[in-house]
Amino acid sequence: MKKTFMERVASFIVDRRYLFIVLFIAMSIFAIFTADSVHVDEDLTDYLPEEAETRQGLQIMDSEFITYGTARVMVSNVTYEQAEEIAEILRDVDGVRDVVLERDNAHYVGAAALFDVTFDGEKLEDVSIRGMENVRNALRSYDTYIYTEVGNPTGIILEKEMRMVLVILIIIIILVLLLTSKTYAEVPILLVTFGVAVWLNKGTNYWFGEISFITNSIAAVLQLGLAIDYAIILCHHYTEERETHDAHDAVVRALALGIPEISASSLTTISGLLALAFMKIKIGSDMSFVLIKAIVISMLTVFLLMPALLLLMSPLLDKSHHKSFLPKISAWGRFTVKTRYIVPPIFVAILIAGAILSNHCPYVFGYSTLDTMKQNEYKLSEKKINSTFGEVNEVALIIPFTDYETEASLLAELNELDGIDEIIALAGTEAKDGYTITQSLSPREFAELTDIDISVSRAAYTAYCTQNDSVTQALGQLVDLSNIDNTTVPLIDMIKFLYDQREVYQSRIDEGLMEDLEEIYDELIDAERQLHTENYSRMVLRLNLPVESEETYDYLAVIKGVTGKYYPESYFVGESAKDKDFASAFGEDNKLISILTLVFVVAILLMTFRSVALPVLLILVIQGSVWINFSFPTIMHHNLYFLAYLIVSAIMMGANIDYAIVISNRYLQLKERMNYKDAMVEALNLAFPTVMTSGTILAAAGFAIGILSSENTVASIGICLGRGTLISMLLVLGVLPQILLLGDSIVEKTSFNVGWSRPKRHINGVMRVDGRVRGYVNGYIDAEVRGIIRGTMDASVNNAALAESSAADAETESNERGEFDEEHA
C-alpha cells in the first residue's frame, strides 16, 4: 500500500525516535546554561514607543544623570525625639547617603515618622541593595513599613509567585487529564512532553537578548494553557489507532493525522499572537515573539519527541486503559436543538449590551488606582505609608542647558503654579545667606559670602576669567581684568575653580574656611551629578495632584507651556508622564489589534472551512465573548489595566476560536451522514472532551495567575484570561450550536471550493479510505470518510490514504456490516 506524504514523514520521525530523544536531551541540557542568560527588563517605560516623550526623556536621563536609589521608611509608635534618634542611626548605616526627617506633616503624623532614605548607588546597584538590607537590620526591633524599588523586590516576589502558579497549574492539569484521558499512562507522557517544551522555550529566550518581566513571568503558564491540547490530540489519535494497529503503526498513523490537525489548530493562536507584534507599545511584540516561539517549540516537541515516548510506553498505555469519566451531553445537545429559535435572539441582545458596556470599560494606564487579590509586603507597606502621609507624585522635567539665569527664570515661574508643592533644581539650591548655588556673584559678593579677603577674591576672579575667557565671553561679558569688580561668575563655578586651585590659594585662605569650601564642593558636585550636566538640566517637581487623572494630564500640558517660553524642547519623566504616554498609544493600538486579529483569523477560517458565512458566525461568538468579558469591569466598577485588554483580547480571538472550530468541524462532517439535529447532538458529544480539557486548563492558568500574583499587570491579564476562557466555553457550547443550526443554509450557500483538482478514480471492490471523498459511491458523496468502502467508487480523494483492502479487512467489514444489519433489522 502506497503511503501518503504525511505517513512517510511520520514514519521517518518514528523510525529515528532514538535520535530525537538524544537531540532533545542535549537541547534540554544546553537550556540549563542559557535559561538565566536572558536579561529581564523590569521597567515598563522601556516599552513605550520610541517617539514617546517619556521614552526619550528616560534615555537622556539614564545617559546624563545619576539617580540614586531611594526608600520611604515609616516607623510607627515613636515620638518625634525617638524618630530623630532613628534618623541618626540610619545616617550611620553603611550604604546610606542621606536621610531626611523634618518636623512637618510630610514626615511626622501622630506617632508615625517617615524617613526619606537615599542610598549611595542607583536602585539596582549592589551598594544600594546592601544598604537596604542594612536599613532593615537596623530597624528590626521597630514597627516598620518600607517601600522601595532598590534591588527590584517586586521582580523577585513575582518570580516566586509564578513558580507557585506553575506548581498549582500542573496539579490542575493532572486532575483534568485524569478525567479526560483514555489511559492513565497518558498523563506522565503529556507532562514530560510539555515540561521539555516549556524548558526549551525558556532556554531559547536568550535569542531576544532581553524580555519584559511580564513575558518572563507568565510565558510558561500560558504555554501550558495554550498548547497542551496539541499533545492531547496526538494521544487521542494514538489510542484510537491502537485499537486496530500495532504500537509502531498506530504511532505513525496518529502522527500522520495529528501533524496537519495540530498545525491548523496552531495557526489561529499564532495569528492572534502575531497581531500583538504590531502594537506601538513594544510589550506587544515582546510577548508575541516569545509566545509564538513557545507555540512552535510545543508543536515540534509533540511531533518529534512525543511519538518516541508513546512507543516506549506503549505497553503501559495498553495496560492502563480506563473508562471515560466525562459524561455524554446528549441531553444538552437536544436542548440546544430545541432552543435554536430562542437562544440566538437573546445572544444578540447580550452581544449588543456587551459591546456598549465594554466600550465604557474603565481603563487605567498606571498602578496607582489598581489593586490585586494577593498583597505582597511592598504593596502593604506602600498602602500604609500612603494612607498615613499621602501619595507622592514626582515628575522629572528635562531641559537643555543654556545658562543658569534662564533656568532660574523658569524655576521662578514654575514656583508660582498652584499644582506644584516643591521643585528640586540646581538653580533653586540655596548655598548661604539667601544666595543660590547658580547665582552669579561679583568678587565682593563672593568675598562676603565666603568670608575670604577681598584681595584673594579678586585674584581668584582674575585667574578664573583668564583661564575661562571663552566661557565668560559666551556669557556675554567682555572681561576687563583692570576692573574685575564688575565681573560676575556663577557661584558653583567659582567654588569648583577654587577647589581645583586649592593648593595655590591654601596659604591665603583660612584652614577652617578651606575645609568648609571643600565640604560645599562635595555637596555641589553631588547635586550637579543629579541635576545638571554639560548638555541638560533636570528639575524634580512634586505635584499635589493624583498620579493618574485627566486633571494631572492637563496640568502637565500647562507646565509644558510655561517651559516652552524658555526652551524649545523639554521632556517629562515619571509615573504621571508614563501613564499619559500609554494613554496616548492605547487608542491606536486597540484599533490595530482588533483589525489585525480579525483579518488574520478570518483568513485562516476561510481557508479551513471554504465558506464565507461560517467564519463570520464563529467570529461573532468569540468576539461576543471578548465584549462580555470586558463588560465585567464596567458593571463592577473595577479599573482595568489597559495592557490586560490588549493582550487578552488577542489571545482569546486566537486561542478560544479553536473551541468553535472543533464543534463546527464535527458538525459539518456528521451532517453529511445524518440529519442536522442528530449531527449537532453527536458533534457536541464528540467535541465536549476537547473543549473541556483545553478550556479548563487555560482558564485555570488564567485564574491561578490572577489570584496568586501580586503584580498588577500580570494579575489583570490572568483574571481577564480566565474569565474570558470560561465565557468562550459557555458560548461555544451553549450558543454556537443554535447559531450553526439557524445559519446552516447560509453556510451552504456561501461555501466554495478551492484547489479541488484531484482527478476522479474508478475503483471496484473493497477499499480503505481515510480522507475527503467527493463523487459517487453508490450515491453522490462529498464528505470526510474514514473506514472501508465495499462496492464501486467513482470519486476524487484528497489528502487521504486510498488503497485496496486486504481480504482480512474485507472479512472484518463484512462481519461488521452483518452485525449492523442484524441490529437494525
Side-chain angles (χ1 to χ4, degrees), residues 603-762:
I604 291 169
L605 293 178
L606 281 172
M607 290 186 293
T608 301
F609 291 106
R610 295 185 290 276
S611 169
V612 175
L614 189 55
V616 174
L617 296 179
L618 300 187
I619 289 292
L620 189 67
V621 172
I622 300 304
Q623 183 61 60
S625 69
V626 173
W627 284 335
I628 294 170
N629 186 20
F630 291 104
S631 297
F632 277 80
T634 306
I635 296 169
M636 299 169 69
H637 303 289
H638 286 172
N639 289 340
L640 176 68
Y641 194 56
F642 77 105
L643 276 180
Y645 175 80
L646 293 176
I647 292 169
V648 172
S649 60
I651 291 176
M652 284 182 66
M653 286 297 292
N656 295 166
I657 195 77
D658 283 351
Y659 312 153
I661 292 172
V662 169
I663 292 179
S664 302
N665 261 329
R666 294 285 190 180
Y667 172 67
L668 292 176
Q669 292 169 8
L670 291 169
K671 75 171 187 172
E672 296 292 340
R673 53 188 173 89
M674 59 179 70
N675 71 69
Y676 68 93
K677 295 180 182 179
D678 293 338
M680 183 54 70
V681 173
E682 187 61 21
L684 287 172
N685 273 327
L686 294 173
F688 181 65
T690 302
V691 174
M692 281 300 296
T693 304
S694 181
T696 303
I697 290 173
L698 184 57
F703 283 125
I705 292 171
I707 294 170
L708 297 176
S709 175
S710 59
E711 206 286 326
N712 289 292
T713 308
V714 174
S716 297
I717 291 172
I719 292 295
C720 291
L721 182 60
R723 184 177 60 220
T725 301
L726 288 182
I727 293 170
S728 297
M729 292 169 64
L730 179 63
L731 294 185
V732 163
L733 293 171
V735 176
L736 179 64
Q738 292 94 327
I739 292 177
L740 288 175
L741 290 170
L742 282 184
D744 195 74
S745 60
I746 300 174
V747 172
E748 288 288 344
K749 291 176 182 178
T750 59
S751 296
F752 58 89
N753 289 301
V754 178
W756 187 269
S757 58
R758 286 190 178 259
K760 287 188 175 181
R761 301 174 64 178
H762 182 83

Side-chain angles (χ1 to χ4, degrees), residues 378-435:
Y378 292 92
K379 277 184 172 293
L380 293 172
S381 293
E382 183 183 21
K383 280 186 174 183
K384 183 70 173 178
I385 293 170
N386 288 343
S387 65
T388 306
F389 293 96
E391 187 179 35
V392 173
N393 184 10
E394 288 186 343
V395 176
L397 175 62
I398 312 295
I399 52 178
F401 175 70
T402 53
D403 57 77
Y404 294 121
E405 287 75 12
T406 304
E407 185 176 329
S409 299
L410 170 62
L411 180 62
E413 191 165 348
L414 290 177
N415 274 320
E416 296 298 320
L417 298 178
D418 294 334
I420 303 175
D421 280 343
E422 181 185 4
I423 302 177
I424 301 173
L426 200 63
T429 303
E430 185 175 348
K432 187 180 178 183
D433 297 339
Y435 288 107

Side-chain angles (χ1 to χ4, degrees), residues 275-490:
L276 292 174
F278 293 89
M279 285 172 55
K280 289 179 65 178
I281 301 171
K282 298 306 178 185
I283 193 74
S285 58
D286 179 82
M287 183 167 287
S288 172
F289 296 145
V290 171
L291 288 181
I292 287 175
K293 176 167 65 69
I295 297 296
V296 173
I297 288 175
S298 298
M299 282 197 300
L300 291 176
T301 308
V302 168
F303 294 160
L304 302 178
L305 177 63
M306 192 172 173
L309 299 178
L310 287 171
L311 201 52
L312 288 174
M313 295 188 66
S314 59
L316 193 56
L317 286 166
D318 293 339
K319 294 176 182 178
S320 61
H321 276 274
H322 63 80
K323 67 177 183 178
S324 176
F325 297 111
L326 284 181
K328 292 280 188 179
I329 58 170
S330 300
W332 177 256
R334 290 190 292 270
F335 175 77
T336 62
V337 173
K338 291 178 181 179
T339 57
R340 63 188 182 278
Y341 298 111
I342 300 172
V343 171
I346 297 174
F347 172 66
V348 170
I350 295 174
L351 191 71
I352 295 171
I356 294 171
L357 289 171
S358 64
N359 194 46
H360 291 86
C361 186
Y363 300 113
V364 294
F365 304 92
Y367 290 173
S368 60
T369 60
L370 290 176
D371 215 344
T372 55
M373 294 186 186
K374 182 177 180 180
Q375 301 286 301
N376 63 46
E377 172 193 349
Y378 292 92
K379 277 184 172 293
L380 293 172
S381 293
E382 183 183 21
K383 280 186 174 183
K384 183 70 173 178
I385 293 170
N386 288 343
S387 65
T388 306
F389 293 96
E391 187 179 35
V392 173
N393 184 10
E394 288 186 343
V395 176
L397 175 62
I398 312 295
I399 52 178
F401 175 70
T402 53
D403 57 77
Y404 294 121
E405 287 75 12
T406 304
E407 185 176 329
S409 299
L410 170 62
L411 180 62
E413 191 165 348
L414 290 177
N415 274 320
E416 296 298 320
L417 298 178
D418 294 334
I420 303 175
D421 280 343
E422 181 185 4
I423 302 177
I424 301 173
L426 200 63
T429 303
E430 185 175 348
K432 187 180 178 183
D433 297 339
Y435 288 107
T436 63
I437 62 174
T438 60
Q439 194 168 345
S440 293
L441 305 181
S442 66
R444 183 169 295 279
E445 291 170 328
F446 183 76
E448 292 172 354
L449 178 67
T450 58
D451 292 329
I452 65 174
D453 188 85
I454 183 62
S455 62
V456 176
S457 179
R458 287 171 177 156
Y461 266 65
T462 301
Y464 174 87
C465 292
T466 301
Q467 184 172 327
N468 298 277
D469 185 54
S470 59
V471 176
T472 54
Q473 288 185 27
L475 293 172
Q477 300 182 32
L478 296 176
V479 181
D480 182 2
L481 296 181
S482 63
N483 191 16
I484 196 66
D485 285 344
N486 293 329
T487 301
T488 58
V489 176

Side-chain angles (χ1 to χ4, degrees), residues 556-571:
L556 291 179
V558 171
I559 298 173
K560 193 82 167 175
V562 172
T563 307
K565 297 178 184 179
Y566 301 92
Y567 298 95
E569 62 172 308
S570 60
Y571 307 92

